Amino acid sequence: MSLTAQTYWAEHAWVDGSVRSDVVIVAAANGRITAVVPGSPRPPAGSVTLRGLTLPGLANAHSHAFHRALRGVVQAEDGAEGPGEGAPDSFWTWREVMYGIADRLTPDSYFELARAVYAEMAMAGITCVGEFHYLHHAPGGARYGDPNAMGKALIAAAAEAGIRITLLDTCYLSSGFGAEPNEHQLRFSDGTAEGWAERVSGLKGDGNTRIGAAIHSVRAVPVDQLATVAGWAHERTAPLHVHLSEQIAENDACVEAHGFTPTRLLADHGVLGPRTTAVHATHLTPGDIRLLGHASTGVCMCPTTERDLADGIGPAAELQSAGSPLSLGSDSHAVIDILEEARALELDE
């Protein structure tokens, strides 16, 4: 981020939905753009000239920074037998490999990994990331001296890489409906939603950082604790994200446990709304789509990850028509390219 005010002159720039020529862009010392003026035929004195087409910075609405370490590893094993009694590879066997990566990270190594991930984003034109962060504690669940050491490592990594971060600190308490966390997931859990809220309240935002909340999924946060997370976000007007209906198996388990789809469960416990973003939203019923749209709940699709894991294709056009704003994320970082996510979304449609 620039430490002094700066003026740019763009040969062409994307302004208000169209390409305009000879555009003056003025940025304040804090990096915020204060003026965009098309139709200036000559660069102002002292300005920086930008040739070609200048685009606004892109937002990556869903990231798991540590998944970047899986690139080229799980894909190379595609078709091999997974750990589940000879079962073919799937999202669920991929998840076991992901746990192995998570088990080895420390605050220092996570900072180094995340800094590289965020630098790759910056090189791809991404200037803000929503980091869905649930790797909170040491292996086995022991607390670090600073209980937010892992989150602060991500905040520092984004600052060094030169992008802004919305740290979506994630509540993750269960391995499934009514089940305790497994040995890997102990790193993720604060025991209760109240414990999560107490810890996350110690995180502070700054000019480069916004603190938000996330519910990992309906399988990972017991139904009687959903409202605690939603309430924490509501009290602070903070963004709230949630993985939703990425897998058919999760939908089936939710219906068996509660008699409702995950979307209906979230709606009934005050989770949906205009500050909420549902991630994936791949396997929805028509009623789910209506609930999300009526609540103006956003939907973040991550097509390169969803195709990499064979998750399926979500109903993007139907969601948008129902009233859900759409966003894009690189999620597992099979690639980091928001324009490729956009191309993939269009291709899916």
Side-chain angles (χ1 to χ4, degrees):
M1 182 178 293
S2 173
L3 298 179
T4 59
Q6 183 65 64
T7 299
Y8 302 87
W9 181 84
E11 187 176 24
H12 306 287
W14 185 263
V15 180
D16 295 331
S18 63
V19 176
R20 305 291 297 274
S21 298
D22 305 329
V23 180
V24 172
I25 304 167
V26 181
N30 64 4
R32 291 186 178 274
I33 293 173
T34 58
V36 178
V37 184
S40 302
R42 284 182 291 277
S47 65
V48 175
T49 296
L50 304 174
R51 296 295 180 188
L53 175 63
T54 297
L55 298 175
L58 302 171
N60 187 350
H62 189 66
S63 163
H64 299 295
F66 76 93
H67 289 191
R68 173 63 179 82
L70 294 167
R71 188 191 295 176
V73 177
V74 289
Q75 290 89 352
E77 296 177 356
D78 184 39
E81 290 186 352
E85 299 295 330
D89 280 350
S90 68
F91 169 86
W92 305 103
T93 54
W94 167 90
R95 189 174 67 160
E96 295 301 316
V97 182
M98 178 269 287
Y99 287 155
I101 296 292
D103 285 345
R104 297 199 293 273
L105 289 170
T106 67
D108 288 343
S109 62
Y110 201 14
F111 165 77
E112 293 178 359
L113 174 59
R115 180 176 58 182
V117 174
Y118 297 151
E120 187 175 354
M121 290 185 193
M123 293 294 289
I126 295 164
T127 57
C128 184
V129 62
E131 181 61 40
F132 201 102
H133 167 56
Y134 54 84
L135 189 53
H136 302 308
H137 308 299
R143 274 41 174 177
Y144 291 107
D146 179 347
N148 286 305
M150 295 294 270
K152 289 178 180 178
L154 292 167
I155 291 170
E160 285 212 11
I163 69 171
R164 292 176 291 118
I165 184 170
T166 296
L167 186 72
L168 299 160
D169 194 288
T170 303
C171 187
Y172 193 136
L173 306 173
S174 172
S175 64
F177 297 95
E180 294 297 317
N182 66 33
E183 60 178 326
H184 305 291
Q185 295 163 344
L186 290 172
R187 292 200 77 172
F188 311 157
S189 178
D190 291 293
T192 64
E194 290 78 9
W196 166 85
E198 181 179 359
R199 178 187 53 74
V200 72
S201 294
L203 286 165
K204 305 300 179 186
D206 55 36
N208 200 63
T209 307
R210 186 180 188 190
I211 306 300
I215 292 165
H216 180 273
S217 56
V218 293
R219 72 175 186 274
V221 178
V223 64
D224 61 351
Q225 302 193 54
L226 292 171
T228 299
V229 184
W232 185 95
H234 177 73
E235 290 168 7
R236 293 159 176 80
T237 62
L240 174 63
H241 287 217
V242 55
H243 288 135
L244 178 64
S245 293
E246 182 179 5
Q247 297 293 320
I248 294 173
E250 178 180 283
N251 288 355
D252 293 344
C254 185
V255 171
E256 182 177 353
H258 298 292
F260 301 109
T261 65
T263 301
R264 167 56 72 181
L265 200 67
L266 294 175
D268 288 349
H269 289 82
V271 176
L272 303 186
R275 287 194 307 276
T276 299
T277 297
V279 181
H280 301 305
T282 306
H283 302 285
L284 302 177
T285 68
D288 292 338
I289 295 171
R290 288 193 295 271
L291 282 171
L292 292 166
H294 181 73
S296 299
T297 298
V299 172
C300 176
M301 293 188 163
C302 308
T304 64
T305 294
E306 290 152 5
R307 73 189 183 194
D308 195 47
L309 296 176
D311 288 342
I313 294 172
E318 292 91 334
L319 283 161
Q320 187 177 48
S321 295
S324 290
L326 301 182
S327 57
L328 295 167
S330 61
D331 193 4
S332 71
H333 313 308
V335 297
I336 295 178
D337 183 348
I338 292 298
L339 297 181
E340 173 58 22
E341 303 293 344
R343 281 190 291 268
L345 182 64
E346 182 181 42
L347 177 64
D348 287 346
E349 289 303 318

